[in-house]
Amino acid sequence: MADTLTLTATSPCYGLLPKTLGTCTLTETDLGTLTSVAPFKGAAISDALKAAHGMAFPAPNRATGKTGARAIWFGRDIALLAGPAPDPGLGDLAALTDQSDAWACVTLSGDDAGAVLARLVPIDLRPAAFKQGHTARTQLGHLNASITRTGPDSFLILVFRSMAATLVHDLVTAMESLAARH
């Protein structure tokens, strides 16, 4: 008689997080539904997005909305709608693609969160240059990442789901290194 195998869905960082070291905490973040929004040429997507979800289409390197319903600039003429399922009417104005299972999403927070990221990211994340609501597609170590400042000492980080363990390893190593200096 064959044994039955039960599969259980897990999150990308299952069993890896949360971690707290020094002044920083790294947690997995459930953003809800993730939808790529690529507007058709000439479409008034910003007005439609605002009417449907209460946020405008983000300008380059910006995020709009708030926790639970956010639009993150994700590249030239593309935004990632995070949180709600997209209003069906948006499909008349943009190509909508479900990305919910494609990304690992974590939040790095704490007094030294910027200093931890400075060890891994080649852009200026100081609060004067990278304010709340600013976002960037950049490298984090050797990973392609999206980084958004969500608070004074808080960053939302997205990488491809297949890179979740590497992301956690790289961030925890940087957190350990910084904590050892204090």
Side-chain angles (χ1 to χ4, degrees):
M1 191 178 246
D3 289 332
T4 59
L5 178 65
T6 303
L7 299 177
T8 304
T10 60
S11 64
C13 298
Y14 177 79
L16 302 173
L17 296 176
K19 295 276 186 192
T20 299
L21 293 160
T23 66
C24 294
T25 300
L26 182 63
T27 56
E28 187 165 26
T29 304
D30 181 359
L31 294 178
T33 302
L34 299 176
T35 306
S36 171
V37 180
F40 301 137
K41 188 172 182 171
I45 191 69
S46 195
D47 292 337
L49 192 60
K50 193 167 201 161
H53 297 291
M55 68 196 86
F57 193 84
N61 298 313
R62 298 294 183 267
T64 60
K66 58 188 182 309
T67 301
R70 192 181 309 265
I72 302 167
W73 176 83
F74 229 55
R76 184 176 177 173
D77 298 328
I78 297 176
L80 187 72
L81 177 61
D87 182 273
L90 293 177
D92 296 334
L93 302 171
L96 304 176
T97 308
D98 184 4
Q99 300 282 314
S100 300
D101 289 334
W103 297 93
C105 311
V106 300
T107 297
L108 178 65
S109 59
D111 291 343
D112 290 327
V116 167
L117 285 175
R119 294 169 176 265
L120 299 166
V121 177
I123 60 174
D124 186 355
L125 296 176
R126 291 176 299 158
F130 198 79
K131 298 177 172 127
Q132 187 168 333
H134 286 207
T135 192
R137 291 296 299 264
T138 187
Q139 294 294 120
L140 189 149
H142 64 280
L143 304 175
N144 291 320
S146 167
I147 299 175
T148 304
R149 183 181 287 272
T150 56
D153 297 313
S154 179
F155 296 89
L156 175 65
I157 304 164
L158 285 79
V159 301
F160 295 125
R161 180 186 183 102
S162 61
M163 297 288 112
T166 302
L167 171 68
V168 171
H169 173 267
D170 290 353
L171 287 170
V172 168
T173 299
M175 290 165 64
E176 288 170 343
S177 178
L178 193 64
R181 299 187 78 196
H182 292 295

